Amino acid sequence: MKTAVFFWLLSASLFAQELPDIRSIPPDLEVPALSAGTPAVGKRVKVGLHVLYLPTDWKPGAKMPVIVEFAGNGRYTNKFGDVSTGLPEGSNLGYGLSAGRGFIWLCSPYLNEKGDAIAITWWGNPPTYDPQPTLKYLRETVKSVCQDYGGDESKIVLCGFSRGAIACNYLGLYDDETASLWCGFLSYSHYDGVKTWPYPHSDRESALARLKRLGNRPQFICGEGSNAQETEAYLRPLLPKADLTFLSTGFRNHNDAWTLRPSPAREKAREWLRRVTSSR
């Protein structure tokens, strides 16, 4: 069995290397530079420890869907030149998916155990990795965005890259209060319960308990190479009737900047996002 798993992983790795690099496709989008001051139309602003972008079609008093995004682990690099800072301002998914229109984009941080600084890797502090400060900040910030900037509470999508993809379920479905915020989830590269990680309750049994809070809400699960196939093999037997979409990005990179480039995967992700936020 171990030999079969080894060769499956080896073939998956070789397949990923044969896919094109994202840099072979010129970007058609550029994330707006971080601005100082208060949030305004077309500006991406650091507010406390999170980053908020109001789209170019935002209007005071109007209701708009919201993309809430979690970043990958920081201090990450690989042989393809992919980098993750672990900071909210380093995120790309939400802007690439929306092209800067139609969605408020909130990049929420992971916090240390005191709740006063950003955790660059995972959340909380080792060895306990307490998620409560992160969850409290997340809930309060989402509520504030809806109250102050017209976020539609019925159309909030949680998305994330790598650590953030795991966080979609680990944090997003951690408890009933947090789980009630979302109308859908987009996980890019990794998924809660497929593998174990350094923090407590990353085991499959704990992940399945969190997964029960998903209900009938849709999830879009994608990854580089055959990453999404591994997650599909895990989830399909558990949730045969669930609204789940699995897709390869079509690139070899562990890099959320794939959404800043045209591709069939990006178009499918945008179609999914429109469906999820227009049907409620």
Side-chain angles (χ1 to χ4, degrees):
M1 180 65 178
K2 290 183 178 180
T3 302
V5 171
F6 169 78
F7 280 109
W8 185 89
L9 291 172
L10 178 62
S11 62
S13 176
L14 292 173
F15 172 67
Q17 293 186 48
E18 292 174 355
L19 292 171
D21 191 283
I22 60 170
R23 296 164 191 85
S24 66
I25 306 296
D28 60 356
L29 293 171
E30 183 177 354
V31 176
L34 210 59
S35 301
T38 58
V41 173
K43 290 182 66 177
R44 191 170 67 106
V45 179
K46 188 75 174 283
V47 183
L49 296 174
H50 64 273
V51 175
L52 183 65
Y53 173 81
L54 298 182
T56 54
D57 53 349
W58 181 84
K59 296 178 181 179
K63 287 286 189 180
M64 300 193 81
V66 183
I67 298 173
V68 179
E69 181 169 352
F70 276 129
N73 270 328
R75 307 186 186 97
Y76 173 83
T77 61
N78 66 14
K79 64 182 180 181
F80 300 130
D82 303 320
V83 174
S84 175
T85 67
L87 298 172
E89 49 264 48
S91 296
N92 295 296
L93 287 177
Y95 192 79
L97 293 171
S98 67
R101 292 180 56 83
F103 292 83
I104 297 170
W105 177 33
L106 166 64
C107 297
S108 194
Y110 313 88
L111 302 184
N112 64 1
E113 62 185 12
K114 293 183 179 179
D116 60 0
I118 290 176
I120 298 298
T121 57
W122 301 118
W123 38 78
N125 293 65
T128 59
Y129 296 96
D130 181 9
Q132 291 303 329
T134 299
L135 292 169
K136 181 175 183 291
Y137 191 98
L138 173 67
R139 291 191 298 264
E140 290 177 351
T141 305
V142 169
K143 181 179 179 180
S144 174
V145 167
C146 290
Q147 290 180 344
D148 299 339
Y149 299 103
D152 189 331
E153 294 181 352
S154 70
K155 297 180 180 181
I156 305 176
V157 175
L158 181 61
C159 72
F161 157 53
S162 196
R163 168 180 53 162
I166 299 168
C168 282
N169 283 15
Y170 187 90
L171 298 179
L173 298 176
Y174 192 88
D175 53 53
D176 290 343
E177 183 180 6
T178 308
S180 68
L181 296 173
W182 325 113
C183 71
F185 305 77
L186 188 150
S187 299
Y188 162 53
S189 196
H190 294 314
Y191 191 88
D192 184 34
V194 175
K195 300 177 182 178
T196 56
W197 301 96
Y199 52 85
H201 310 300
S202 72
D203 60 280
R204 185 158 294 189
E205 183 178 357
S206 299
L208 292 177
R210 291 185 287 272
L211 192 59
K212 290 179 181 178
R213 297 190 182 97
L214 176 63
N216 61 0
R217 288 171 292 183
Q219 290 195 331
F220 187 99
I221 300 159
C222 60
E224 66 275 10
S226 58
N227 185 290
Q229 293 176 342
E230 184 180 5
T231 304
E232 184 171 13
Y234 159 61
L235 277 182
R236 283 295 187 198
L238 299 171
L239 302 172
K241 297 182 180 180
D243 186 351
L244 305 175
T245 302
F246 298 92
L247 193 69
S248 169
T249 62
F251 298 103
R252 68 186 184 182
N253 306 79
H254 190 65
N255 188 329
D256 64 349
W258 67 271
T259 62
L260 303 180
R261 294 158 167 80
S263 71
R266 187 180 71 174
E267 186 53 42
K268 288 185 179 299
R270 287 177 173 179
E271 290 173 0
W272 176 89
L273 190 61
R274 288 191 291 267
R275 172 174 70 86
V276 168
T277 56
S278 65
S279 60
R280 298 178 67 86

